[in-house]
Amino acid sequence: MAWIVLVLAGVFEVVMALSLKLSNGFGNLWWSLSFLATAVLSFGLLSYALKTLEVGTAYAVWTGVGAAGTAVLGMIAMGDEVSPARIISIALILAGVIGLRVLA
């Protein structure tokens, strides 16, 4: 159960990062509120997962899911650059996350 909660925390981290971008320096109220809400959810779920998971593993998975998810969504929805090197790098992050799960 803690692993599912941890991945969900990573998903909320992706939404948090995109909301921060769309808040335009906290100038857009609704995206700013989205940032605050998803930040609380993401950190809250991470905190819950840390009750049973090792801190190093959980934090690495949380940031890995967040970083890879944000990079992919940035390429799909925000016009970020798409290149083979970026895709390979994202795949390596995901491989690390999977490796941590398998070895934990």
Side-chain angles (χ1 to χ4, degrees):
M1 180 66 167
W3 283 101
I4 294 169
V5 170
L6 182 60
V7 170
L8 188 57
V11 170
F12 278 112
E13 185 187 4
V14 172
V15 178
M16 178 185 72
L18 293 175
S19 295
L20 184 60
K21 169 72 173 171
L22 295 171
S23 77
N24 195 25
F26 295 112
N28 182 304
L29 177 65
W30 297 113
W31 285 113
S32 298
L33 292 174
S34 174
F35 164 78
L36 290 172
T38 54
V40 168
L41 285 168
S42 182
F43 282 103
L45 291 170
L46 174 62
S47 177
Y48 180 82
L50 285 172
K51 289 182 179 182
T52 55
L53 299 175
E54 294 179 358
V55 67
T57 300
Y59 187 75
V61 169
W62 179 68
T63 58
V65 169
T70 302
V72 168
L73 213 50
M75 288 186 282
I76 292 171
M78 308 288 288
D80 291 356
E81 176 189 350
V82 179
S83 70
R86 288 182 73 131
I87 293 169
I88 290 168
S89 297
I90 292 167
L92 289 170
I93 292 169
L94 293 175
V97 167
I98 292 167
L100 286 169
R101 171 59 181 112
V102 170
L103 299 174

